[in-house]
Each structure stands twice: as C-alpha cells, then as structure tokens.
Amino acid sequence: MKKRLHITAALTMLFGIAQAQNKAWSEAGTFDSKGAVWNYNLGKGTGNAGDKFSSGEAIKTSVSSTATPGFLAYPSSGFAAVTTGANAGGAIKVEGKDAAAKLVLEASSNASANKFAVYDISKASAVSSLLFNVSFKSENDPTNGAVVFGIGNARGNNIFKNTAALTGADAVGLFAGLRWEFSTNKAVFFSYRKLNNGSYGYKLINANSFTKTGEHQVELYINNAATEQKYTKLGTAYTLAPATFNIWVDGKLIAAESGSAFPASGELAPEAPLNSFLFQGYHSKGAIPNTLTLSLSNIQLNSTK
C-alpha cells in the first residue's frame, strides 16, 4: 500500500512539473504553419561531469548529445555545449531537478567569455519562435559586464560550434544578436546587434524592460524566410517582414524605431533554418569579479512546416 502511495505521489509531482512548464508558454504566439516543438529539459538525460563546470587556466569546453553525454543534460536533438574562458573565473551550474532545473552561468571577468550554446537542432525552420525565462540573479549588485545572446544556423565551425566569444567581427551564420549590459545604476541596458561602419555593435532598445532582480519571460518571433510571415498571439495577428523579428518581454511587445520589428544583423543567408542559439557572459570584472550571473529555464524552440 505504501509503495503504491509513493508511486502515485511521484507521478502527481511529475505531472505538476510538466504542467508548470507547459503553462509558462500557454499564452505564447503561434505561426500560421505549425511545425516541430523542441524543449530543453535541463534536468533530464544528464551527463557525467558533475554539477559544476568551472573556469581554469585554459579554455575548457564540454559537449553533450544523445550519443555522448557531457556536463549538460543532452537535448532531444542537436548538441548542447558549455565553454569557460581562460583565466576568466566563474562557473556554469545546473540548479534544481527535472523540468524545473535552471542553467546558471557566471559571467567571465575578461573578454574570454563563459558560454552556453545549443546547435544543430533537427527539424528547424527559417521561421521560428524561441521562448525562455531569464534572470540575472546575484547576491552582489553587478555594476559591469554583459550578457550576449545570438540565434542562427550552425554552419561549419562557426560561433555556435566553437569556443570563441561573439564579438564585433562578422559571425557567419548569425541571424540576430541581443545584449544586456550592466552598470553602476539600477538599469539594464537592452540592445540589438547592428552593423555600423564595418563592424558590429549594439543599438540601445531601452533600459526598462529588464531588471537586475526578478525573472522575465522572453519570446522571440523570427522570420528568416524570403516572404512575410504571420503569427497570432492572444487573438491578435502580427506580420513579420523578411529578415526581421519581434521581441516580447513579460507579455509586452517591445517597440523598435520603426514599428515593432527589429532587423536581422545580416550575417545569415535568407531561408537558412534557425537551428542554433547561444548565451555568453563576460567582462564582469568589478571589485568582486564574476558577480554578473545569468539564469535560464523553460527553453523552447518552435519551428514551422
């Protein structure tokens, strides 16, 4: 009888976790042509490298797949990699269990970024949405450093597959980039990647969509097709021109200079499937280094047919 009760309780708990994960994106938008849904359960299919991946004197990396488990949980398709920079300090950890698990990345103290990347997701498409929860948790108030995000296509040994940091140089295969930058005030400066005078920098979007404390829901709706695409969210239809994307934060559509769509960075050919993304943290070098911390959960990539 006790064994039966334990089994029932365990199933109830697992069902509750699954429901909580699904509920996180119950109000997310959908494109007209639904395709594959890829979820990354950070607490399932774990690797064999312990619960902490720390920086050392040289660049370190670990790649996980269904064929070869590494530090991270291996995804249902594709590869998940972590990299720590040389003499960069900080570590990458997984906190929590099962579907409630979170990836915690401590930003490096120099330009050799600590990095998390997923690449070669199967059944990907040029029209996609990427959803994730993000927070910048820290016991100390981060007063410098930045977190950079990129999405695109893994092609050759490009930025998604290698251990290099995403910088202002041309990054073949990158569709778009975002940056969260920290300073001595309470604002989080949120920007998007843009070509300027031959190199890539970041243009400010705003300083109020994200906070140094609290968790935020982010939804990206992306069109790398040659024609305009439509998605529907909460009963309202939105149109994306080619090579543009929408950003939603905590249920609010973020405005660009000319409407709601932001332009792609121009580093990825049209119609290439969006099968890869990355996050990196670096330059957290204040009085107490590595205080800038990125936390990620509920990561979901939705493709179209």
Side-chain angles (χ1 to χ4, degrees):
M1 182 67 179
K2 287 184 178 179
K3 184 177 180 181
R4 187 178 300 172
L5 287 172
H6 287 317
I7 293 172
T8 302
L11 289 173
T12 302
M13 181 180 70
L14 289 172
F15 179 75
I17 292 172
Q19 287 291 93
Q21 188 178 37
N22 292 336
K23 186 179 179 180
W25 304 121
S26 61
E27 296 184 348
T30 56
F31 282 98
D32 290 349
S33 178
K34 295 180 183 178
V37 176
W38 178 93
N39 287 290
Y40 189 16
N41 186 332
L42 287 156
K44 183 179 181 181
T46 54
N48 53 13
D51 58 0
K52 187 176 182 180
F53 194 81
S54 300
S55 173
E57 293 182 358
I59 292 175
K60 294 168 55 180
T61 190
S62 174
V63 180
S64 298
S65 69
T66 54
T68 308
F71 167 72
L72 287 178
Y74 50 82
S76 56
S77 72
F79 302 81
V82 289
T83 299
T84 51
N87 298 307
I92 300 170
K93 299 173 281 188
V94 175
E95 296 181 350
K97 296 182 179 180
D98 301 313
K102 297 183 179 183
L103 182 140
V104 178
L105 184 152
E106 295 169 347
S108 74
S109 60
N110 56 31
S112 185
N114 292 341
K115 177 178 169 183
F116 159 62
V118 176
Y119 58 89
D120 284 339
I121 298 171
S122 64
K123 298 182 180 180
S125 61
V127 181
S128 309
S129 61
L130 179 67
L131 320 173
F132 56 90
N133 284 12
V134 62
S135 63
F136 307 102
K137 67 170 207 169
S138 177
E139 289 74 20
N140 302 301
D141 181 16
T143 58
N144 54 36
V147 169
V148 170
F149 161 84
I151 187 166
N153 180 272
R155 178 182 172 187
N157 184 30
N158 72 355
I159 192 67
F160 298 105
K161 290 185 177 181
N162 62 32
T163 60
L166 179 58
T167 64
D170 182 76
V172 176
L174 187 74
F175 174 84
L178 299 171
R179 184 178 70 181
W180 296 264
E181 193 171 17
F182 297 78
S183 69
T184 54
N185 64 29
K186 297 298 181 183
V188 177
F189 298 95
F190 184 46
S191 309
Y192 71 97
R193 185 175 174 92
K194 186 176 182 181
L195 184 64
N196 184 28
N197 295 326
S199 64
Y200 288 91
Y202 290 86
K203 185 173 179 61
L204 182 67
I205 298 172
N206 65 46
N208 53 33
S209 287
F210 293 89
T211 61
K212 289 183 178 180
T213 59
E215 188 172 61
H216 303 280
Q217 285 191 323
V218 179
E219 304 168 48
L220 305 176
Y221 298 90
I222 308 167
N223 181 17
N224 193 39
T227 58
E228 69 176 27
Q229 302 291 321
K230 293 183 179 181
Y231 68 93
T232 302
K233 180 175 169 64
L234 298 177
T236 301
Y238 299 87
T239 301
L240 283 173
T244 65
F245 63 104
N246 278 170
I247 305 171
W248 292 74
V249 180
D250 297 330
K252 297 178 181 178
L253 180 61
I254 305 302
E257 303 98 315
S258 55
S260 60
F262 292 87
S265 64
E267 298 159 274
L268 179 63
E271 298 291 349
L274 302 165
N275 64 7
S276 308
F277 60 89
L278 66 83
F279 290 86
Q280 69 181 39
Y282 60 165
H283 291 306
S284 181
K285 56 183 179 180
I288 305 175
N290 311 112
T291 58
L292 173 55
T293 302
L294 166 72
S295 178
L296 294 166
S297 62
N298 284 333
I299 305 171
Q300 180 172 307
L301 178 70
N302 301 315
S303 302
T304 56
K305 292 181 180 178

